[in-house]
Amino acid sequence: FRLRRINRSSSRSSEMPSLQFRQLRYRIPLHAYNFTVLLCLLAISLPGARPQPASKDKLSAGAANHERTLGDQALMEGKLQIALKHFEAAVKMNPQDYLNFYKRATAEMIDKKYSAAVRDLSKALELKPGYSQALDKRARIYLMEGRFDQAAVDLRELLKAKPGDNDLQEKLNNGMVAQNAWSTAQRLMTQHNWPAARDHLNMALDVASDSVEILLARAECHKALGELENVLADTGKALKVQASSIAALVLRGQAYYLMMEMDLAQRHFREGLRMDPEHKECKENFRRIKKMDNIMKSADAEFASGQFEEALKTYQSGEKVDPSHLVFLGKMFLGQCRALNKLKRYREAAHQCSRGMDTPEDKHPKIDRINTLLARADAMEGLEDWEESVRDCERALNLDNGHTESRERVERAKRLAKKSKMKDYYKVLGVPKDADDRAIKKAYKIKALALHPDKVCGAGQCKSKEESDLANKHFHEVAEAYEVLSDTEKRAKFDNGEDPLHDQAQQQHGGGFPFGGGGQHFTFHFG
């Protein structure tokens, strides 16, 4: 463009309209300015002449990278669920980036969501074949889950890229050892060789630590060996890995059932039925437990209310529900023993308690064993076998030196054994041990009148001094028996095996009506 220098002195009216640049003091003709604007507009309209907005894919990739970064940060801070949300967002925003799947798989592994982690790792390997970190993680999951063949494939693939890697070779060897141990354990279980099978399963689980199948197999061994706490440990871990495992719920419920934890057992079988309402094992176990629980509660309630005959029948019916459940069976024997003691059928009671004591000690809860021994001691007291009663009480105390009742019962049994060598005042009067005051007084009157020396030795019936002394002795025994049994405090001491007269010499008492005879004086205490 031709620019003209502005002449300061020239008149504005004589010039064409123009734009002035003060700094340069040049004038551009108007028609030239219009042409310049036209060229600029044309240039702007040409393709590629102005900046284009970023593509949608590029924006998504950037946002996905940002979510992935936030996920990494949350994972480092231990915020697993937040991290998972960020990684899931990254996958949705950019499903073509293998790193998004790999990162999400890492978080899923920590959360023990192994199936989801394997899917994500497989997708990452699809997007980036041979990605070593994804192969390594997937092989690790396969080993933990006991998928030994699949783990071997991934490890061999890694060894191709890293030949001679000692760590990889060790993992491969360990997997083969664990696989052989698992195969051997399965064979041993079919032979019911539970201890050896358990040992091989321990070897397999050293590698396949989260294999639900192998954990449940070991739980079966523990159950067969009576190691119920270990059954709970293995099934608990299996359910953490796979919460939907009905097999784990059944085994765990059976362990609680054998431990007489009926409420917990029912809870597990109920959960199994919630998942599968037609599951046969859950149904059978649930119904059996309900029946046993009802029998136990009914029998205990009948016993507590004094309905001993009814309680005895209910305990007897409990024997038939599950004869293989030794703990429950022991409780039924104990219940029958106690009911029979109350019914004074002591020989039958001792027999039922002995049946309970035949239960192997490792299958018989200690408290049940102690109670069974004490109940049999009661039966032996009823049979007046004092030494055997002392022996059972001492055995109960040996099972638990801190058991207060056993200690008290030992002392009582010893007193009763000592008492058995003393006069039996109940026998002297011919009354039962639970006789009331009225019955005791009535018996005393009858005995005293019948055995009074004046009557026994009157009219010259006692031919010798020995016969006279014997008549006096029998009469004194009746008087002594009444003195003890008619006094609440003395009777309580006698019942506890103590000497109620404190070894004092027999005394003659006044206050009744005397009978003379033989130069001696006797007194009745008719109260």
Side-chain angles (χ1 to χ4, degrees):
F1 297 104
R2 181 170 55 86
L3 299 179
R4 294 181 182 176
R5 179 82 177 181
I6 298 174
N7 188 352
R8 292 178 181 270
S9 59
S10 61
S11 172
R12 289 183 179 269
S13 59
S14 62
E15 297 291 337
M16 293 179 61
S18 63
L19 294 175
Q20 293 184 4
F21 293 82
R22 292 182 181 178
Q23 291 85 352
L24 299 177
R25 296 179 183 175
Y26 284 100
R27 181 185 299 156
I28 301 174
L30 186 58
H31 65 274
Y33 171 77
N34 291 339
F35 181 71
T36 303
V37 171
L38 183 62
L39 284 176
C40 289
L41 291 173
L42 182 61
I44 290 172
S45 67
L46 291 174
R50 56 181 173 178
Q52 295 295 316
S55 69
K56 185 177 180 181
D57 289 344
K58 288 182 179 179
L59 287 173
S60 296
N65 290 343
H66 178 65
E67 289 290 344
R68 196 169 66 227
T69 301
L70 292 174
D72 287 336
Q73 184 178 348
L75 207 57
M76 289 175 64
E77 294 172 356
K79 300 173 182 177
L80 180 60
Q81 297 307 316
I82 294 175
L84 274 169
K85 287 180 181 178
H86 285 302
F87 293 139
E88 285 168 7
V91 167
K92 287 180 181 177
M93 290 175 181
N94 188 7
Q96 301 305 314
D97 191 337
Y98 70 95
L99 270 178
N100 294 335
F101 289 98
Y102 174 77
K103 291 288 187 179
R104 186 169 69 175
T106 302
E108 287 164 342
M109 281 183 70
I110 297 171
D111 203 25
K112 292 190 178 295
K113 295 178 178 176
Y114 297 131
S115 297
V118 166
R119 284 196 300 271
D120 279 347
L121 291 169
S122 298
K123 183 64 177 178
L125 286 164
E126 181 186 319
L127 293 169
K128 187 177 181 180
Y131 182 37
S132 60
Q133 287 174 281
L135 280 170
D136 183 68
K137 272 190 168 58
R138 192 169 69 176
R140 239 191 305 163
I141 294 174
Y142 285 151
L143 286 174
M144 285 191 294
E145 290 188 325
R147 296 159 71 176
F148 301 112
D149 289 334
Q150 291 163 289
V153 171
D154 282 352
L155 289 169
R156 289 192 178 102
E157 183 70 21
L158 284 166
L159 280 168
K160 287 180 185 177
K162 299 178 181 179
D165 188 298
N166 292 331
D167 288 340
L168 291 173
Q169 190 61 53
E170 185 179 0
K171 286 180 184 178
L172 184 60
N173 293 340
N174 289 342
M176 293 171 66
V177 170
Q179 187 172 22
N180 290 334
W182 171 224
S183 299
T184 304
Q186 289 174 295
R187 177 173 53 80
L188 290 167
M189 286 178 73
T190 61
Q191 300 169 0
H192 292 181
N193 188 347
W194 306 112
R198 178 192 56 195
D199 293 341
H200 281 80
L201 290 168
N202 289 340
M203 292 171 59
L205 285 165
D206 284 341
V207 175
S209 58
D210 288 342
S211 168
V212 172
E213 186 179 13
I214 300 177
L215 281 166
L216 295 184
R218 189 170 69 175
E220 286 280 5
C221 291
H222 288 315
K223 180 187 165 192
L225 294 168
E227 300 166 351
L228 301 179
E229 293 292 343
N230 290 334
V231 175
L232 297 180
D234 280 347
T235 53
K237 185 171 183 180
L239 286 168
K240 283 184 180 178
V241 176
Q242 186 181 338
S244 61
S245 173
I246 295 182
L249 287 169
V250 169
L251 260 176
R252 194 171 176 82
Q254 288 173 343
Y256 279 123
Y257 168 70
L258 293 171
M259 295 167 74
M260 283 301 293
E261 296 283 356
M262 297 303 193
D263 289 340
L264 287 170
Q266 275 189 316
R267 190 184 306 171
H268 283 76
F269 294 128
R270 190 182 292 113
E271 179 64 16
L273 289 171
R274 188 187 65 79
M275 295 180 185
D276 180 1
E278 299 303 318
H279 195 275
K280 185 178 178 182
E281 276 189 285
C282 287
K283 266 187 178 180
E284 290 175 354
N285 281 286
F286 186 82
R287 288 172 180 168
R288 187 187 304 116
I289 289 172
K290 192 172 182 180
K291 185 175 182 180
M292 291 166 71
D293 194 41
N294 288 339
I295 286 174
M296 179 68 79
K297 287 177 179 176
S298 296
D300 288 348
E302 288 163 351
F303 185 89
S305 63
Q307 302 174 64
F308 302 122
E309 284 285 2
E310 290 78 0
L312 177 62
K313 291 176 184 176
T314 308
Y315 284 127
Q316 288 170 339
S317 71
E319 284 187 51
K320 302 171 186 176
V321 179
D322 185 0
S324 67
H325 196 305
L326 298 181
V327 178
F328 185 75
L329 209 57
K331 289 183 182 295
M332 295 299 100
F333 293 144
L334 174 58
Q336 290 176 62
C337 180
R338 285 173 166 169
L340 287 164
N341 275 334
K342 292 291 186 181
L343 294 168
K344 294 183 170 48
R345 292 157 61 179
Y346 298 117
R347 198 164 299 281
E348 293 175 69
H351 174 66
Q352 292 302 327
C353 280
S354 295
R355 290 179 74 191
M357 290 305 297
D358 288 340
T359 305
E361 196 164 347
D362 61 329
K363 304 286 186 183
H364 202 185
K366 185 166 66 174
I367 188 61
D368 286 354
R369 205 163 186 81
I370 288 171
N371 289 332
T372 303
L373 284 166
L374 295 179
R376 190 167 68 178
D378 288 335
M380 292 302 164
E381 285 180 15
L383 294 170
E384 298 185 0
D385 190 341
W386 311 109
E387 296 302 323
E388 194 62 35
S389 177
V390 170
R391 196 173 294 117
D392 276 344
C393 290
E394 287 178 337
R395 287 177 66 189
L397 183 60
N398 288 337
L399 287 173
D400 183 358
N401 285 323
H403 194 254
T404 305
E405 185 183 355
S406 296
R407 189 174 300 283
E408 292 172 352
R409 288 293 300 277
V410 168
E411 294 172 2
R412 179 173 175 271
K414 286 180 176 178
R415 287 197 304 270
L416 291 173
K418 181 181 176 182
K419 172 189 168 185
S420 68
K421 298 171 185 176
M422 301 162 54
K423 294 171 189 167
D424 187 339
Y425 295 127
Y426 292 105
K427 282 187 177 179
V428 171
L429 293 182
V431 295
K433 289 182 172 60
D434 58 355
D436 58 19
D437 291 341
R438 185 177 179 182
I440 289 170
K441 185 180 291 185
K442 182 179 179 181
Y444 170 59
K445 288 179 181 180
I446 295 170
K447 288 279 184 180
L449 288 170
L451 296 175
H452 195 281
D454 285 351
K455 183 174 182 180
V456 174
C457 293
Q461 294 184 56
C462 293
K463 303 298 183 182
S464 65
K465 185 176 182 303
E466 288 76 12
E467 289 181 357
S468 178
D469 288 344
L470 184 61
N472 289 332
K473 180 183 176 184
H474 287 162
F475 183 75
H476 275 295
E477 285 179 348
V478 170
E480 187 178 292
Y482 181 68
E483 180 181 352
V484 171
L485 298 182
S486 63
D487 184 292
T488 304
E489 186 177 345
K490 289 178 181 178
R491 183 178 180 180
K493 285 183 177 180
F494 177 71
D495 287 342
N496 284 326
E498 301 175 29
D499 184 354
L501 301 176
H502 304 290
D503 296 325
Q504 295 175 358
Q506 293 180 356
Q507 299 177 359
Q508 295 179 345
H509 301 279
F513 57 90
F515 287 80
Q520 299 189 16
H521 205 75
F522 302 96
T523 306
F524 283 99
H525 296 275
F526 287 156

